[in-house]
Amino acid sequence: FIEAEKNDAIPSSNGKILLATVKGDVHDIGKNIVGVVLQCNNFEVVDLGVMVSATSILEAARREGVDVIGLSGLITPSLEEMVFVASELERNGFRVPLLIGGATTSRTHTAVRIGPRYGSPVVHVLDASRAVGVASKLLKPETRTAYARTIAEEYEGIRREREGRATEGRLTSLRQAQDNRFVYDGAPLSAPTPSFLGTKVFDEYPLSELVTHIDWTPFFQSWEMRGRYPEILEDAEAGPAARDLLTDAQSLLARIVNEGSLTARAVVGFFPANSVGDDIEIYRDARRGAPVAIVHTLRQQMIRGPDRTNFALADFVAPRETAELDYIGMFAVTTGIGVDAMVDGFTARHDDYSAIMVKALADRLAEAFAEHLHQRVRREFWGYAPDERLTNDELIREQYQGIRPAPGYPACPDHTEKATVFRLLDATNTIGVSLTEHFAMSPAASVSGYYIWHPASRYFGVGRIGRDQVEDYARRKGMDVTAVERWLAPNLAYER
């Protein structure tokens, strides 16, 4: 009926908008939702997909004559790629508004890093529900000038406030932070020996074993519905829509499991290891010798109160000088094999809703797979908690011994450390997961990280770090300081 009505009416459009996930990033659920919402509000959408270079964005924008460009990204390196795209738009004389969105983006980053690179309006869009309002205000002649001025003044205020903050002055020096490192004060611990050393591959893992480990709260968040599961199902406002969404999700999930539409693969590895300063050395065997790889970790530098330490992941691995051999585990899992085929099928039938749903469910299954395998590591493969019996809710609340931190996340925010994980696990050859040039995992429904067994280990955020640590970290990694600054931009306590 709607299509017939369009055919009978005089063609009209509220504007043409180009959307793209920037180079090096493969995540597009949020972007796709934005695209659907915009199309439902009579905007023409040119979606370039994922891993789109600045050159492709500029060429398409000029060719299509778009009125607005929207950039999306999930991983932190995408933030710097957006800065580059903005600079290229300015250098090439573009004057269309630029919208910024994605999980790692923020109003502050948009104001401080992206806005100054582009002379036309640059606006951070918090979620899909705001996209239509922002685009409309930027394109309507009666609101365009006033709205652009309001945003410019607001972002200038953010920049001034940022400049007035002496963030680095609120940090301790790296040397002081290292002196305040975590030291286990319990009885000496002997690291349990894993049931195998090296790697073990799991191919076509049963999807039915993963379903019970799904955390549904992030699923609703991916659809931009705020609230925790299961409470959201009874929410006065969101409840009816949440229940309908869950019914649709579980119906499609049952079909995926029954038909085997997606393939789950994983590789797990255990390696002898010891910490040396803020690094973790990995050895070929128990005789140690020269390390075959090094995991570089970052240390908190915030000023801590009495009896509070400055953590680094290396603190939870036995120091080499103790002569106590320890171990570290690594893993990579994916449930994204088969996603593209399902998405293509739904897209061919113009079923955007189901296409987005498949990606959201694949992401949840990947996280569930990581949770499930970690449980097996604790009980069987490493076996340091053989009697553990936790409910799924207790697993979600991380009420277990040990941690599984992931490169790119708060405890180890450097995405480039994934390269070591993938090399030691041979993840691309064993399970078909690869890294983009910005270290995003492809397929997108993939998870990788470390296993640390120590009973005192805990999750934490590194937070802001100073120049002294950046320079030390660059030296340890054998990288240029400016390259390290690029990868760790959100954590820098100073302006580059």
Side-chain angles (χ1 to χ4, degrees), residues 470-490:
V470 170
E471 291 171 358
D472 181 75
Y473 190 71
R475 176 188 58 78
R476 286 153 44 205
K477 285 177 70 77
M479 291 177 63
D480 186 78
V481 170
T482 56
V484 169
E485 288 177 330
R486 178 171 177 262
W487 294 112
L488 296 177

Side-chain angles (χ1 to χ4, degrees), residues 3-4 52 77 89 99 127 143 149-150 169 221 250-251 277 281 284 303 308 312 323 410 451 469-470:
E3 294 302 319
V52 187
L89 290 171
L99 306 185
D127 55 45
T143 59
R149 185 186 303 116
T150 298
Q221 291 171 348
Q250 290 179 330
S251 175
E281 291 187 346
R284 189 175 307 280
I303 296 174
R308 297 191 66 193
Y451 294 130
Q469 179 158 201
V470 170

Side-chain angles (χ1 to χ4, degrees), residues 253-284:
L253 182 60
R255 173 184 158 189
I256 289 171
V257 172
N258 292 336
E259 297 178 1
S261 308
L262 301 181
T263 300
R265 293 177 182 161
V267 55
V268 172
F270 299 109
F271 310 94
N274 282 119
S275 64
V276 177
D278 289 348
D279 290 336
I280 301 170
E281 291 187 346
I282 296 174
Y283 311 110
R284 189 175 307 280

Side-chain angles (χ1 to χ4, degrees), residues 442-466:
S442 181
S446 304
V447 183
S448 64
Y450 311 113
Y451 294 130
I452 295 176
W453 77 276
H454 198 286
S457 62
R458 50 171 288 182
Y459 293 104
F460 61 90
V462 167
R464 299 284 180 178
I465 59 176

Side-chain angles (χ1 to χ4, degrees), residues 15-19 44-46 48 57-58 60-70 89 94-97 139:
K16 183 182 284 190
I17 300 179
L18 181 149
L19 299 178
E44 295 178 72
V45 173
V46 178
L48 299 185
I57 291 169
L58 270 62
R62 187 174 281 120
R63 181 179 65 249
E64 298 287 344
V66 299
D67 302 300
V68 177
I69 296 173
L89 290 171
F94 280 81
R95 289 296 174 261
V96 299
L139 295 182

